[in-house]
């Protein structure tokens, strides 16, 4: 991909001409990267939209049975809304196919950077492909399989009759062998079905019923995408040397699609006396943990101070309040007032944009907390759903009176690496609602939604529904261009924050 920059790009988002012939199908295996020129504006917009889509895929995969009517309806609606190919039959969806292709490759660049990111990306892309493949008509499915060289040999009627008993007993749910078409597939392509004992095996071949062919397609796609992600990761050094791309990609992999909570209409509306009560009622687990550690130890190491300090700023603490809050607590421990004023106070003023380059730092998003700077021994920052040992997490949740069934659900989500969804479940349990009604991406969003709920600002739905998510997404969409896009000022802020962190490494 080539990327344009400069003034011209602002006027013209789309650079290349029509290249319809590249996309004979609405579904793709994304085998070849785009070769056309892509403006940075389009690059950014496509990437943010795909990230939104994949987050919806993740959410729906946990809230609904994959392939159920509700799942399909909601995912179809999201694809339509974000203008990705949603109906395989649509003849003229070139723009959507192009967006699908380019956005996949951009996120591949952003999400190849670590094992966690790769795994998350792979899972969501697989779910997306599964949904879209199953939406294809029989003819289109056949065409697509031909296109990706996955043509399997259907066994003859004679052979089917000969193997009828074996096919029937080895294929769960199979009653009418005669009415089904079976394909002879090499074992390597049918590993998942073989492992799950869902197919009949003979002489190194799996006999796969037509309805299971999607598992073969997915298996093949997973192998290709895993390999591609590993290869992309190897080429990272050359990508990282591109000063236009690196900040964008970093931001995407640490990003979320929503406001950045840098501007708070609540500034000054929270008193220091309220913080203890608020930490129990409206803080997400990460901040509750930091608050407790601060109260217990009268100190937090610098990772904790950064994460918690910016969160408090985001919920409305003024600079003066922050100075008073931290000082009161620290001088109860080993730090005397003089040392606090000389060292720690500077860093607090800095984070409020009153020192150094006067950058107004924004609170950390979940992705940033989850993906970067994992806590070490003696640290309390990070995301407890990501960074705590499951047994310790369980004990913590028990101590917060989360019911055992809820703890089990949370631990299941954690096991599946759905950390933000685990946090959403925690929100539901703490607030005693059946559906959180929004898609959680930021600790300050957690706080705001909690406060809104507790103050009766709105009713959460009791029935499982994704409409709240859509609402949230719409809001996000509105604010996306100005907030979630990695603007140059954000990039500068990130760089400065790194510098600030490096400077204040004093524990
Ligand atoms: Fe905090 Fe986000 Fe983790 Fe929840 S998911 S505990 S808000 S970092």
């Amino acid at each position: 991909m080539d990327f344009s920059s400069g003034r011209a790009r602002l006027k013209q988002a789309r650079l290349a001409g029509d290249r319809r012939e590249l996309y004979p199908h609405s579904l793709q295996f994304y085998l070849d990267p785009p070769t056309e020129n892509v403006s940075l504006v389009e690059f950014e917009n496509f990437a943010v939209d795909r990230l939104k889509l994949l987050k919806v895929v993740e959410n729906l995969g946990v809230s609904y049975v994959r392939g159920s009517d509700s799942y399909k309806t909601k995912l179809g609606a999201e694809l339509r809304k974000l203008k990705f190919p949603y109906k395989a039959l649509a003849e003229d969806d070139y723009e959507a196919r192009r967006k699908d292709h380019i956005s996949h490759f951009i996120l591949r660049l952003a999400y190849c950077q670590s094992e966690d990111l790769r795994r998350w990306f792979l899972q969501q892309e697989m779910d997306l492909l599964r949904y879209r493949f199953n939406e294809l008509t029989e003819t289109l499915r056949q065409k697509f399989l031909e296109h990706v060289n996955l043509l399997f040999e259907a066994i003859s009627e004679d052979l089917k009759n000969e193997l009828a008993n074996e096919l029937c007993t080895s294929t769960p749910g199979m009653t009418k062998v005669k009415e089904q078409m079976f394909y002879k597939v090499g074992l390597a392509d049918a590993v998942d079905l073989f492992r799950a004992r869902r197919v009949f095996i003979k002489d190194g071949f799996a006999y796969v019923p037509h309805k299971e062919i999607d598992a073969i397609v997915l298996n093949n796609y997973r192998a290709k995408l895993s390999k591609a992600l590993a290869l992309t990761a190897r080429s990272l050094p050359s990508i990282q040397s591109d000063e236009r791309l690196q900040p964008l990609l970093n931001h995407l992999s640490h990003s979320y699609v929503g406001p950045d909570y840098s501007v708070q209409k609540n500034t000054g509306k929270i008193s220091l006396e309220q913080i203890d009560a608020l930490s129990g009622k409206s803080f997400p687990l990460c901040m509750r943990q930091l608050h407790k550690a601060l109260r217990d130890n009268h100190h937090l190491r610098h990772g904790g101070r950064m994460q918690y300090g910016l969160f408090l700023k985001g919920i409305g603490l003024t600079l003066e309040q922050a100075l008073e809050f931290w000082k009161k607590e620290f001088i109860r421990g080993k730090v005397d007032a003089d040392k606090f004023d000389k060292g720690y106070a500077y860093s607090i003023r800095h984070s409020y944009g009153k020192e150094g380059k006067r950058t107004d730092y924004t609170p950390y998003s979940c992705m940033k907390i989850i993906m970067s700077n994992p806590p070490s021994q003696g640290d309390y920052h990070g995301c407890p759903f990501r960074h705590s040992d499951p047994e310790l997490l369980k004990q913590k949740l028990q101590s917060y009176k989360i019911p055992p069934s809820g703890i089990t659900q949370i631990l299941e989500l954690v096991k599946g690496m759905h950390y933000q969804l685990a946090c959403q479940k925690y929100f539901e349990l703490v607030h005693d609602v059946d559906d959180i009604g929004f898609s959680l991406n930021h600790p300050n969003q957690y706080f705001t939604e909690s406060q809104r709920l507790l103050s009766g600002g709105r009713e959460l739905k009791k029935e499982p529904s994704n409409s709240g998510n859509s609402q949230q997404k719409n809001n996000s969409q509105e604010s996306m261009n100005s907030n979630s896009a990695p603007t140059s000022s954000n990039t500068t802020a990130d760089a400065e924050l790194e510098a600030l962190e490096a400077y204040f490494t004093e524990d």
Side-chain angles (χ1 to χ4, degrees):
M1 277 184 274
D2 286 337
F3 306 100
S4 70
S5 57
R7 265 177 176 279
R9 73 183 166 84
L10 296 173
K11 290 185 187 153
Q12 188 192 8
R14 167 85 177 276
L15 297 177
D18 197 314
R19 306 175 79 188
R20 209 161 285 260
E21 71 287 352
L22 289 179
Y23 309 117
H25 299 279
S26 64
L27 199 58
Q28 310 180 36
F29 259 9
Y30 313 101
L31 298 177
D32 300 308
T35 49
E36 66 177 270
N37 289 330
V38 178
S39 73
L40 285 176
V41 174
E42 214 173 33
F43 183 94
E44 198 172 299
N45 290 342
F46 281 5
V48 170
D49 277 359
R50 194 172 195 93
L51 189 52
K52 282 183 181 178
L53 177 65
L54 295 188
K55 281 177 179 281
V56 170
V57 170
E58 182 190 26
N59 248 320
L60 292 176
V62 172
S63 312
Y64 299 91
V65 176
R66 288 187 187 88
S68 65
D69 286 348
S70 312
Y71 178 90
K72 290 198 286 193
T73 311
K74 285 172 192 299
L75 191 45
E78 196 63 27
L79 285 163
R80 248 193 325 273
K81 194 174 89 187
L82 293 171
K83 299 195 168 42
F84 284 103
Y86 71 95
K87 218 169 179 24
L89 285 172
E91 293 289 331
D92 193 21
D93 60 352
Y94 165 67
E95 292 297 340
R97 292 179 190 192
R98 176 176 171 270
K99 176 176 177 174
D100 183 39
H101 182 218
I102 295 172
S103 66
H104 168 91
F105 273 93
I106 300 172
L107 285 208
R108 197 188 271 191
L109 284 177
Y111 280 76
C112 71
Q113 304 188 40
S114 75
E115 188 52 39
D116 275 357
L117 290 172
R118 284 195 288 273
R119 223 176 296 157
W120 183 86
F121 180 70
L122 191 62
Q123 179 63 52
Q124 311 324 322
E125 286 285 339
M126 297 261 297
D127 282 356
L128 186 59
L129 189 94
R130 180 189 293 111
Y131 161 80
R132 290 159 95 183
F133 181 75
N134 285 323
E135 287 294 289
L136 293 180
T137 60
E138 197 46 55
T139 324
L140 285 171
R141 207 182 275 203
Q142 213 52 44
K143 270 190 181 171
F144 174 70
L145 290 175
E146 237 171 85
H147 180 62
V148 294
N149 283 330
L150 279 179
L151 269 187
F152 304 115
E153 178 197 342
I155 62 171
S156 66
E157 283 302 308
D158 288 349
L159 184 58
K160 194 161 73 176
N161 289 337
E162 193 185 308
L163 298 174
N165 276 342
E166 289 89 338
L167 290 175
C168 192
T169 45
S170 310
T171 317
M174 180 60 58
T175 48
K176 295 175 181 161
V177 169
K178 284 204 168 125
E179 291 170 16
Q180 271 282 343
M181 210 188 283
F182 279 83
Y183 297 89
K184 197 172 162 186
V185 177
L187 266 191
D189 279 329
V191 172
D192 284 355
L193 293 172
F194 168 57
R195 273 206 203 113
R197 296 170 186 268
R198 298 185 64 80
V199 280
F200 173 59
I201 306 285
K202 187 169 184 251
D203 299 336
F205 286 96
Y207 289 76
V208 181
H210 184 73
K211 69 181 174 64
E212 298 277 24
I213 214 74
D214 63 339
I216 308 280
V217 174
L218 282 168
N219 193 35
N220 197 282
Y221 179 56
R222 179 174 46 213
K224 287 189 165 69
L225 186 52
S226 303
K227 196 169 163 202
L229 281 166
L231 283 174
T232 315
R234 265 193 246 156
S235 61
L236 267 183
S238 62
I239 296 162
Q240 278 162 343
S241 64
D242 189 321
E243 60 183 26
R244 297 162 306 165
L245 282 191
Q246 186 48 28
L248 280 166
L249 296 176
N250 256 347
H251 194 89
L252 280 171
S253 60
H254 286 162
S255 191
Y256 72 102
V257 276
D260 66 7
Y261 297 92
S262 56
V263 183
Q264 274 297 316
K265 58 182 187 305
N266 288 334
T267 303
K269 287 192 183 158
I270 284 176
S271 73
L272 296 188
E273 291 67 41
Q274 286 175 295
I275 293 181
D276 284 327
L278 285 172
S279 76
K281 283 193 297 192
S282 289
F283 282 14
L285 202 55
C286 54
M287 301 304 169
R288 196 169 177 179
Q289 168 173 290
L290 281 164
H291 183 74
K292 184 170 180 324
L294 177 64
R295 287 292 194 228
D296 288 351
N297 307 329
H298 315 300
H299 189 268
L300 279 180
R301 294 171 76 178
H302 106 103
R305 295 199 300 274
M306 297 297 288
Q307 183 176 319
Y308 190 37
L310 289 172
F311 168 79
L312 290 175
K313 176 185 169 191
I315 69 169
L317 240 60
T318 62
L319 172 60
E320 293 66 34
Q321 285 178 308
L323 286 167
E324 187 185 337
F325 173 76
W326 289 99
K327 186 170 184 176
K328 263 189 184 164
E329 203 58 54
F330 270 46
I331 59 176
R332 291 177 68 200
K334 292 185 186 143
V335 176
D336 62 34
D338 191 43
K339 185 175 178 198
F340 183 89
D341 290 340
K342 284 189 180 140
Y344 298 100
Y346 179 91
S347 73
I348 295 168
R349 284 198 300 275
H350 200 299
S351 68
Y352 273 76
K354 303 295 178 202
E355 298 285 357
K357 291 191 177 165
R358 300 186 181 261
T359 308
D360 204 7
Y361 297 103
T362 56
Y364 294 171
S365 70
C366 293
M367 280 302 266
K368 181 168 173 73
I369 294 171
I370 289 170
M371 301 310 304
S372 49
N373 188 23
S376 341
Q377 188 77 19
D379 282 333
Y380 293 89
H381 67 269
C383 169
F385 299 107
R386 168 66 183 91
H387 298 120
S388 287
D389 174 81
E391 194 47 43
L392 290 179
L393 177 62
K394 186 176 169 186
Q395 287 168 16
K396 188 166 291 165
L397 293 169
Q398 282 167 339
S399 73
Y400 291 150
K401 307 274 181 292
I402 303 296
S405 61
I407 295 179
T408 308
Q409 284 175 290
I410 289 176
L411 292 177
E412 269 305 305
L413 288 165
V414 167
K415 204 165 142 199
M417 297 190 304
H418 303 296
Y419 310 117
Q420 284 155 273
L421 297 180
C423 190
Q424 288 186 194
K425 179 51 71 184
Y426 172 78
F427 183 104
E428 287 168 8
L429 294 161
V430 168
H431 295 83
D432 197 20
V433 290
D434 287 344
D435 180 12
I436 186 171
F438 62 93
S439 180
L440 177 77
N441 291 306
H442 201 294
N444 289 77
Q445 178 196 14
Y446 182 112
F447 177 81
T448 308
E449 294 292 342
S450 168
Q451 283 293 291
R452 191 178 301 172
L453 180 63
L454 295 175
S455 65
R458 79 179 168 148
E459 294 257 314
L460 287 194
K461 291 177 181 58
K462 277 284 177 189
E463 289 295 316
S465 153
N466 198 38
S467 57
N469 286 347
S470 314
Q471 177 66 43
Q472 173 68 18
K473 297 277 181 318
N474 286 337
N475 294 342
S476 303
Q477 177 87 44
E478 280 164 24
S479 60
M480 179 263 291
N481 289 336
S482 60
N483 288 323
S484 74
T487 58
S488 57
S489 64
N490 274 350
T491 310
T492 314
D494 276 353
E496 286 178 0
L497 195 52
E498 298 305 325
L500 179 66
E501 286 176 354
Y503 185 66
F504 288 100
T505 49
E506 181 184 11
D507 285 336

